[in-house]
Amino acid sequence: MELLVKNKLGFIDGACLKSSYRGKLRHQWKLCNVVVFLWIGHTVSTELQPSIIYASDARKVSNEFKERFNISNLTMFYHLWTTIGTLRQGTDFITSYYTKMKDLWDEMDLMVPGAGCEYDETRPFLDQFKNLCLLQFLVSLNDNYSHVRSEILLKTHVLTVYQAYALAVHKESQKTLSVANSDKEPLIMLAGRGRGFKAARKPGPICDYYSYKGHLKENCYKIISYPPDFKSKKKPQNSV
């Protein structure tokens, strides 16, 4: 993509051959060829750089790397398809999980050639591919989103994967908000007890004979008599 943006892709795919230029243009071609050659050298590992130093042009270097490291599309498609099939939400948020899956779908779009240009002929193929993406997104969601999965599957109108993603994110936000509110409820209850709230005291012992608080009948001094060292807590009355 960088070569395409800088209008230098022709030095790789053979559109800009050296034999097509004469005079000043040939000199200009040499300068551009060196630039592309250096770009390739900076993108490969250090171990590969000595093998391309004496190459004559960037196209030969590119072709050599294709022959040495090219993997069949079927093998790459197999690994890509396996990665998509085993991808699960796990501990990821919906946004992070969806981004990973969409990157894999985009990579597959580059590998698999699209259908023809006739819309009427390609519409069933495109619809089927969209439905597969939607099902894969729903299958890989965690089990705690089973209600979201059921809600989407039971709709009369089939949602796109983008609409399903938006709905799942909305449910996730509601769930996060409800958890946050539930964590605050105990604090709110404690804060409400701060004003005008007194904890109930446990009732103490009561004398069954005189109904006095603080002792039982078997310990009542008026029945068993006062001890010699007893001191009354009542204040003495002043005599007139």
Side-chain angles (χ1 to χ4, degrees):
M1 289 190 294
E2 185 176 359
L3 291 172
L4 180 62
V5 170
K6 296 183 178 181
N7 200 24
K8 296 295 187 293
L9 189 60
F11 289 85
I12 298 298
D13 60 14
C16 298
L17 296 176
K18 182 179 179 180
S19 57
S20 303
Y21 301 93
R22 297 287 186 273
K24 294 182 179 180
L25 291 178
R26 172 164 290 197
H27 178 71
Q28 188 68 26
W29 182 93
K30 291 181 180 180
L31 294 178
C32 294
N33 177 69
V34 172
V35 170
V36 176
F37 182 80
L38 292 176
W39 285 345
I40 296 176
H42 287 308
T43 58
V44 300
S45 61
T46 306
E47 293 79 5
L48 295 175
Q49 291 178 356
S51 63
I52 64 175
I53 291 179
Y54 301 104
S56 57
D57 59 59
R59 185 188 178 194
K60 290 184 178 181
V61 173
S62 178
N63 291 336
E64 180 184 351
F65 284 151
K66 286 181 180 179
E67 293 178 0
R68 292 175 61 180
F69 303 106
N70 187 35
I71 304 177
S72 65
N73 288 338
L74 185 59
T75 302
M76 295 179 64
F77 186 80
Y78 170 81
H79 289 295
L80 185 59
W81 186 261
T82 303
T83 304
I84 293 176
T86 56
L87 181 65
R88 294 294 182 270
Q89 179 188 351
T91 57
D92 291 336
F93 289 104
I94 296 293
T95 300
S96 178
Y97 153 68
Y98 174 77
T99 301
K100 292 179 181 179
M101 181 161 286
K102 187 176 184 304
D103 290 341
L104 295 172
W105 289 336
D106 292 341
E107 187 175 353
M108 183 176 292
D109 286 340
L110 294 176
M111 294 182 56
V112 181
C117 299
E118 295 296 333
Y119 180 75
D120 293 337
E121 296 180 0
T122 60
R123 184 171 183 176
F125 171 81
L126 295 176
D127 291 342
Q128 182 68 10
F129 180 76
K130 292 177 181 178
N131 291 339
L132 289 175
C133 292
L134 173 62
L135 294 177
Q136 183 62 47
F137 173 76
L138 296 177
V139 166
S140 300
L141 284 174
N142 290 340
D143 292 338
N144 55 340
Y145 287 97
S146 58
H147 61 289
V148 180
R149 187 185 300 115
S150 299
E151 180 180 348
I152 294 173
L153 292 175
L154 291 176
K155 287 184 176 296
T156 305
H157 175 70
V158 180
L159 299 182
T160 65
V161 68
Y162 307 108
Q163 293 171 334
Y165 159 73
L167 181 60
V169 169
H170 178 67
K171 298 294 185 181
E172 183 183 57
S173 300
Q174 288 182 332
K175 185 181 298 184
T176 304
L177 183 61
S178 62
V179 171
N181 290 337
S182 63
D183 292 339
K184 293 180 181 178
E185 286 180 359
L187 299 178
I188 296 175
M189 294 176 62
L190 291 176
R193 292 179 179 180
R195 298 180 180 179
F197 176 81
K198 294 183 179 179
R201 297 181 179 179
K202 296 181 178 180
I206 300 177
C207 178
D208 296 337
Y209 190 81
Y210 287 101
S211 299
Y212 289 163
K213 297 179 180 180
H215 65 272
L216 299 175
K217 178 180 178 180
E218 56 267 21
N219 297 325
C220 182
Y221 289 162
K222 288 189 178 184
I223 299 176
I224 64 176
S225 71
Y226 291 90
D229 58 346
F230 176 78
K231 294 182 179 180
S232 177
K233 296 181 180 179
K234 296 183 178 180
K235 294 181 179 180
Q237 297 180 356
N238 296 331
S239 59
V240 180

